[in-house]
C-alpha cells in the first residue's frame, strides 16, 4: 500500500509540473482553448501501467489541483468534462486491443475536445460553438499523436517497472 501512495504522489506531482510548464509555453495554436495537454502524458502512462480507476483518480486530482492553482472554476469544469470523457474513451480503446498507444492517445485527445465543446454549448446556451468542432477534432488528433508518441517511448523504457498494487504474503 505504501508503494501505491508513493507512486500516486509522484504521478500527481509530475502531472502538476507538466500542467505548470504548459502555462509557460508562449505558443498559441491560433484558436482559443487549444493546448498541447502535456499532463495527459502522465495520465496515458498511468492508464497503461495501472488501471482506469487509478488513472481516473489521478486525472480528477490533477484537474482540481491545477484548476485551483493555475485556473478558475470554469477551467476546472471544462477540464473535468474533457478529462473524464477522454479517460473513458482511452480505457475502452485499450481494452479493445485494436489501438496503439498513439491511437489511444489520439482518441483521448479528440474525446477531450468534444467533452469541452459540449460543456461550452451548455455553458453559453447555444449550439453555435459547435462550428468550432472541425478545428478541435484536428487539434485533438495532432496533440493526441504527439502525447501518444511520447507516452509510447516512455512506456517502452519503463516496461519492467510495475506500479500496480503489490500483495505481500
Amino acid at each position: 500500500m505504501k508503494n501505491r501512495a508513493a507512486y500516486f504522489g509522484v504521478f500527481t506531482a509530475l502531472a502538476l509540473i507538466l500542467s505548470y510548464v504548459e502555462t509557460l509555453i508562449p505558443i498559441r495554436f491560433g484558436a482559443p482553448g487549444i493546448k498541447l495537454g502535456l499532463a495527459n502524458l502522465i495520465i496515458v502512462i498511468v492508464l497503461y501501467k495501472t488501471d482506469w480507476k487509478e488513472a481516473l483518480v489521478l486525472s480528477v486530482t490533477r484537474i482540481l489541483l491545477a484548476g485551483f492553482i493555475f485556473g478558475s472554476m470554469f477551467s476546472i469544469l471544462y477540464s473535468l468534462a474533457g478529462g473524464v470523457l477522454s479517460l473513458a474513451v482511452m480505457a475502452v480503446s485499450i481494452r479493445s486491443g485494436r489501438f496503439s498507444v498513439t491511437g489511444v492517445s489520439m482518441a483521448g485527445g479528440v474525446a477531450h475536445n468534444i467533452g469541452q465543446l459540449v460543456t461550452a454549448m451548455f455553458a453559453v446556451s447555444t449550439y453555435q460553438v459547435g462550428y468550432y468542432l472541425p478545428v478541435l477534432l484536428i487539434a485533438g488528433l495532432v496533440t493526441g499523436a504527439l502525447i501518444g508518441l511520447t507516452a509510447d517511448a516512455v512506456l517502452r523504457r519503463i516496461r519492467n517497472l510495475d506500479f500496480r498494487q503489490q500483495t505481500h504474503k
Side-chain angles (χ1 to χ4, degrees):
M1 191 61 136
K2 289 185 226 175
N3 287 343
R4 185 174 172 198
Y7 286 133
F8 186 82
V10 168
F11 289 137
T12 302
L14 286 171
L16 279 172
I17 289 167
L18 290 174
S19 292
Y20 177 68
V21 166
E22 193 161 46
T23 68
L24 300 176
I25 297 173
I27 299 169
R28 298 291 168 236
F29 294 97
I34 296 176
K35 300 187 310 184
L36 191 51
L38 293 175
N40 293 324
L41 172 64
I42 304 304
I43 303 304
V44 172
I45 291 167
V46 168
L47 194 54
Y48 272 92
K49 295 300 282 183
T50 63
D51 64 15
W52 69 268
K53 293 176 214 156
E54 290 195 36
L56 176 63
V57 172
L58 175 64
S59 183
V60 170
T61 301
R62 194 264 320 159
I63 289 167
L64 291 173
L65 290 173
F68 288 127
I69 297 169
F70 313 120
S72 65
M73 288 306 289
F74 278 114
S75 66
I76 292 171
L77 178 67
Y78 286 112
S79 293
L80 278 174
V84 170
L85 182 60
S86 173
L87 188 70
V89 167
M90 288 191 296
V92 169
S93 298
I94 289 170
R95 190 172 185 141
S96 77
R98 297 181 180 182
F99 297 93
S100 65
V101 175
T102 302
V104 167
S105 180
M106 290 170 73
V110 167
H112 191 278
N113 288 345
I114 290 171
Q116 288 189 326
L117 184 65
V118 169
T119 303
M121 287 178 178
F122 283 111
V124 297
S125 298
T126 181
Y127 296 105
Q128 291 178 336
V129 293
Y131 293 119
Y132 195 42
L133 182 62
V135 173
L136 290 177
L137 292 178
I138 292 168
L141 288 171
V142 171
T143 58
L146 294 171
I147 296 301
L149 289 167
T150 306
D152 188 41
V154 171
L155 285 165
R156 277 193 247 133
R157 284 169 179 75
I158 65 169
R159 70 180 162 267
N160 295 329
L161 295 178
D162 185 16
F163 301 113
R164 296 181 202 279
Q165 170 129 0
Q166 302 292 321
T167 56
H168 302 292
K169 295 184 180 183

